[in-house]
Amino acid sequence: FTVNSSVDYTNMKSSSMNLQTDGFSSRNFAMMMFTLPQDFRITGFGGFMSPRIQLQGKMSSFSFHGMNVSKDFMKKKLSVNLSFQSPFQKNMKFKYTTHGTGYDQVSTNYRTRRELSLSVSYRFGTLNSQIKKVRHGISNDDQKAGGNGNAGGGTETGGGMN
């Protein structure tokens, strides 16, 4: 069982428009997975987003939910997943309200939300966690046997030959 939630505080100000607004909003998500005999899995999830604060208005809240049913075959190499997204909600409604001097605007948008999908995946091999590491060394051959630090191959000064 997993639950994630966050709360945001928003403070917006526009000096040129002489506007200021603030407020709290949240995002919430929950998921529960059950592993059943014979390599079946059932997962249910849902979420809620509170209204979002905007400088001159708000975006409406919305929620979502869904369920996945999975089955593994062939020693867990083949997986079949049937997913239902918001089966009880045909459309997701987004309502934006904007307020200004002398006007109010309401915009409503709908997004198709109901979804049914089928996916099939196959695992071709295993991931080997032991990856061969190649060692590289630095060859510092600018100092030769004489140790004079002259990599150019010239002659030493100051000693001469006797």
Side-chain angles (χ1 to χ4, degrees), residues 23 35 77 80 89 91 94 120 137-138:
T35 302
K77 286 190 170 278
V80 178
Q89 183 180 18
N91 294 310
F94 293 98
V120 178
I138 297 174

Side-chain angles (χ1 to χ4, degrees), residues 29-121:
F29 180 78
M31 181 200 68
M32 184 179 292
M33 184 193 308
F34 296 101
T35 302
L36 303 173
Q38 300 182 358
D39 297 322
F40 274 100
R41 289 181 309 280
I42 296 176
T43 305
F45 60 91
F48 174 77
M49 308 301 176
S50 70
R52 308 302 287 178
I53 306 298
Q54 297 175 337
L55 184 60
Q56 290 182 275
K58 288 186 179 181
M59 183 182 92
S60 64
S61 62
F62 66 93
S63 63
F64 58 92
H65 57 282
M67 184 173 118
N68 298 326
V69 178
S70 300
K71 168 78 171 126
D72 291 333
F73 301 94
M74 300 170 53
K75 297 181 182 178
K76 297 188 178 185
K77 286 190 170 278
L78 178 69
S79 295
V80 178
N81 183 49
L82 183 62
S83 179
F84 305 96
Q85 305 291 326
S86 298
F88 308 111
Q89 183 180 18
K90 182 178 178 180
N91 294 310
M92 184 179 288
K93 179 180 176 180
F94 293 98
K95 184 176 178 182
Y96 301 90
T97 57
T98 305
H99 307 288
T101 305
Y103 76 94
D104 290 321
Q105 178 181 352
V106 177
S107 172
T108 305
N109 300 306
Y110 293 91
R111 177 180 167 207
T112 302
R113 188 65 194 133
R114 190 179 299 161
E115 180 181 310
L116 173 65
S117 65
L118 175 69
S119 64
V120 178
S121 63

Side-chain angles (χ1 to χ4, degrees), residues 9-14 18-24 52-58 99:
Y9 173 73
T10 303
N11 186 346
M12 295 181 181
K13 183 176 184 178
S14 171
N18 197 24
L19 295 173
Q20 193 255 330
T21 189
D22 66 339
F24 289 93
R52 308 302 287 178
I53 306 298
Q54 297 175 337
L55 184 60
Q56 290 182 275
K58 288 186 179 181
H99 307 288

